Amino acid sequence: MISWEDFEKIDMRTGTILEATVFAKARKPAYQLSVDFGELGIKKSSAQITVHYTPEALVGKQVIAVVNFPPKQIANFISECLVLGIYDENNNVVLLSPGKPVPNGLKIG
């Protein structure tokens, strides 16, 4: 079990994907994303979401991401946030997103 204080340390926000490109240097199939988090700015993310999504379908999609992890280098790319999803029955990621359009940068809690 974690405490409420532990949960509050995780900064999850809404964002809109501005750009999605194939991450050719990733060991597992992935995309490089640019996500707009409103006042928090634009952050980059590497996401293994190639089974259910094309780059074209991702642009404009709202997502939920953890924005307060330290940057992580993946091959030649620095990932600045973790886009959240659910593992389906085949262990492929289905993105979490708001049920209706909301402003970028809203805190999840």
Side-chain angles (χ1 to χ4, degrees), residues 15-108:
T16 299
I17 297 173
L18 301 176
E19 184 178 12
T21 58
V22 174
F23 190 176
K25 293 191 177 188
R27 278 186 265 145
K28 294 182 180 179
Y31 297 134
Q32 293 174 332
L33 308 176
S34 293
V35 185
D36 180 358
F37 291 102
E39 291 182 7
L40 294 176
I42 297 170
K43 294 185 178 283
K44 306 281 187 192
S45 184
S46 170
Q48 295 174 358
I49 55 174
T50 59
V51 171
H52 293 298
Y53 305 96
T54 64
E56 298 79 20
L58 288 168
V59 174
K61 182 168 182 59
Q62 282 203 302
V63 293
I64 297 168
V66 176
V67 296
N68 65 334
F69 280 130
K72 180 178 181 179
Q73 184 165 353
I74 303 167
N76 62 338
F77 183 77
I78 303 295
S79 187
E80 302 169 308
C81 63
L82 176 66
V83 177
L84 298 176
I86 302 161
Y87 290 109
D88 70 10
E89 62 279 357
N90 296 312
N91 215 31
N92 297 307
V93 176
V94 176
L95 291 171
L96 291 179
S97 60
K100 66 176 194 167
V102 295
N104 293 328
L106 293 183
K107 187 165 176 60
I108 309 302

Side-chain angles (χ1 to χ4, degrees), residues 3-18:
S3 68
W4 183 254
E5 290 77 25
D6 290 333
F7 176 74
E8 286 182 317
K9 292 177 187 176
I10 304 168
D11 191 2
M12 293 178 281
R13 303 286 180 132
T14 57
T16 299
I17 297 173
L18 301 176

